[in-house]
Amino acid sequence: MMRSSVFDCPVPTEQQPLNEYEELKNSWLFRDTTLCWGNYTKKIFWIWGWSWLVAGPVAGASFPPQKHIFYFILCGSAAASVGVVLLLMRLYLGWFYVRDRLYSPTVFYEESGWYDGQTWTKPQEVISRDRLIVTYEIKPILQRLQITFAGLALMYLIGTIVWHLL
């Protein structure tokens, strides 16, 4: 029986790109990006709604809802979406980092600390496996996040136009 070159990998287990991918995919924060579009959208709106706990009073102090309801809603919505933008940036950067580690033909790792970095060149079978994961698992997640960013940018643009029309 031939032994796979994956078992000859000198990279510590927690620093292997495939294990980093699995850990990220199963973590509570990043797991939501793998949900179907409907559930993913519900989570985004849920975060946006909870962000109103901070954004609402700030918007209310600037634009009292009794006098300026439309400005209050626009300002509060924009402020609440800042929390969503920060979350999306964290998600995007996490998936982007793992994508780069999987896609790269070499893996930089540290054996025991910052002073002893090493580089391991992946065998062809590992490169092929990792690039398949990038193509079919990670790229759709990154595209979903990009679409979400574009949707938020469109909402900001519409809000800005409405603000100037009022």
Side-chain angles (χ1 to χ4, degrees):
M1 184 170 154
M2 263 180 89
R3 222 173 134 205
S4 174
S5 59
V6 176
F7 296 112
D8 297 330
C9 177
V11 181
T13 306
E14 67 277 357
Q15 294 181 43
Q16 292 177 11
L18 182 62
N19 293 337
E20 290 174 330
Y21 162 70
E22 288 295 333
E23 185 178 330
L24 196 70
K25 184 173 78 167
N26 295 323
S27 71
W28 70 271
L29 180 63
F30 291 86
R31 175 178 48 226
D32 293 342
T33 58
T34 63
L35 298 172
C36 68
W37 267 101
N39 291 336
Y40 167 76
T41 306
K42 284 179 192 175
K43 296 276 185 172
I44 296 296
F45 277 113
W46 185 82
I47 292 164
W48 179 77
W50 279 101
S51 296
W52 264 92
L53 290 176
V54 173
V58 172
S62 301
F63 302 101
Q66 303 84 355
K67 293 182 180 180
H68 308 286
I69 187 69
F70 292 114
Y71 290 117
F72 168 75
I73 291 171
L74 287 173
C75 184
S77 296
S81 64
V82 169
V84 175
V85 168
L86 292 174
L87 174 74
L88 289 173
M89 285 177 49
R90 174 65 186 112
L91 293 171
Y92 190 85
L93 291 173
W95 283 113
F96 192 79
Y97 171 77
V98 169
R99 187 209 68 163
D100 281 352
R101 297 266 296 168
L102 283 166
Y103 200 78
S104 175
T106 59
V107 175
F108 179 79
Y109 65 97
E110 297 170 350
E111 290 181 1
S112 61
W114 61 270
Y115 51 84
D116 64 349
Q118 302 289 327
T119 302
W120 174 62
T121 302
K122 297 178 187 175
Q124 189 57 44
E125 65 184 32
V126 174
I127 292 173
S128 298
R129 178 203 63 200
D130 288 355
R131 290 189 176 174
L132 281 171
I133 291 169
V134 167
T135 301
Y136 292 104
E137 299 289 331
I138 297 178
K139 278 188 179 178
I141 291 170
L142 290 174
Q143 288 172 342
R144 173 182 286 189
L145 292 169
Q146 290 169 349
I147 290 169
T148 308
F149 275 122
L152 280 170
L154 181 64
M155 293 299 174
Y156 276 121
L157 179 64
I158 291 169
T160 303
I161 291 170
V162 170
W163 182 280
H164 289 289
L165 292 177
L166 293 177

